[in-house]
Amino acid sequence: MEDLRKLEEYYDGVLRLITLHLIDLCGAIVETDKKFIDSNYPKAFRIKLNDENIEIIIAIPYNFPDALPKVVIPDPYFSDLYPIPHLDAKQVLCIFDSNQAHPNALDPIGVIKETIQKARQLIYAGKNKLNISEYMDEFESYWGQESTNQYLSLIKLTDAPKIIEAIS
C-alpha cells in the first residue's frame, strides 16, 4: 500500500512540474471541458500555436510520464484542418507511433516539448499538403474509421496519392 501511495505522489509531482512548465513557458490554459478529460486523461491543457494560428489540447494520462500524452484538435480548428495525415475523425492527432515511441520518464518536460513540436510540424505539413504521401503509411487506421460497410475495391495501391470514388 505504501508503494502505491509513493507512486501516486510521484505522478502528482510530475503533473505539478509539467503544469507549471505549460502555464509559465507555453501560456497554456488548464482545460475544463469534460469532452477532453476522463479517468485515463484526468488533466488537459489548451495551447495556442501562434505560428499556425491554431489551438491544440494536450491530454495528460494519469500515469504520465510512463505513458504518452494525447493531442486533440478542438473545433473550430479541427473543421479547418480535417482531413490531414495523422488526424483522425475523433479529432486526435497521432503524434507518436506507439510501436516505435517510448515514454521517457527521466525527462517529462522533454516529452511535453517534443509533443508540442511534433504537433506543430504535423499541422504545418498537413495544412500545406507537404505530407500527403503519409496517408499510405496510415492506410489501415484511416480505412477503418467509422466504416460499417464492406467494400470491394479494384484499385491498385501505389505510392502516388489519387482521388477515388465509391459507387453504392
Side-chain angles (χ1 to χ4, degrees), residues 16-33:
R16 282 192 298 276
L17 177 72
I18 64 161
T19 297
L20 290 173
H21 172 79
L22 286 167
I23 291 172
D24 291 346
L25 298 177
C26 301
I29 298 169
V30 175
E31 181 61 49
T32 57
D33 188 339

Side-chain angles (χ1 to χ4, degrees), residues 130-147:
L130 301 175
N131 61 350
I132 296 295
S133 63
E134 291 179 25
Y135 275 121
M136 288 302 292
D137 295 338
E138 304 233 338
F139 179 76
E140 286 184 24
S141 62
Y142 289 111
W143 182 256
Q145 284 184 19
E146 299 181 24
S147 178

Side-chain angles (χ1 to χ4, degrees), residues 51-52 84 119-130:
D51 49 339
E52 294 302 325
I84 63 170
R120 185 177 277 122
Q121 291 170 350
L122 290 172
I123 291 167
Y124 176 82
K127 279 173 62 174
N128 294 294
K129 307 216 182 298
L130 301 175

Side-chain angles (χ1 to χ4, degrees), residues 32-127:
T32 57
D33 188 339
K34 297 296 182 197
K35 177 179 177 182
F36 305 110
I37 301 167
D38 61 35
S39 60
N40 291 323
Y41 295 90
K43 192 92 171 192
F45 301 89
R46 187 174 288 255
I47 299 171
K48 178 87 169 172
L49 301 180
N50 292 327
D51 49 339
E52 294 302 325
N53 197 28
I54 195 167
E55 289 182 356
I56 62 172
I57 293 174
I58 298 181
I60 307 299
Y62 70 92
N63 58 342
F64 182 80
D66 293 330
L68 295 168
K70 174 172 72 172
V71 175
V72 178
I73 308 294
D75 281 320
Y77 309 101
F78 173 77
S79 301
D80 294 339
L81 283 177
Y82 189 76
I84 63 170
H86 307 284
L87 180 60
D88 70 21
K90 294 180 180 169
Q91 299 177 262
V92 175
L93 185 64
C94 181
I95 299 293
F96 302 107
D97 181 346
S98 59
N99 294 326
Q100 296 176 357
H102 303 287
N104 184 352
L106 300 177
D107 188 13
I109 299 290
V111 172
I112 295 297
K113 286 179 179 178
E114 181 65 21
T115 299
I116 295 168
Q117 184 59 29
K118 184 79 170 171
R120 185 177 277 122
Q121 291 170 350
L122 290 172
I123 291 167
Y124 176 82
K127 279 173 62 174

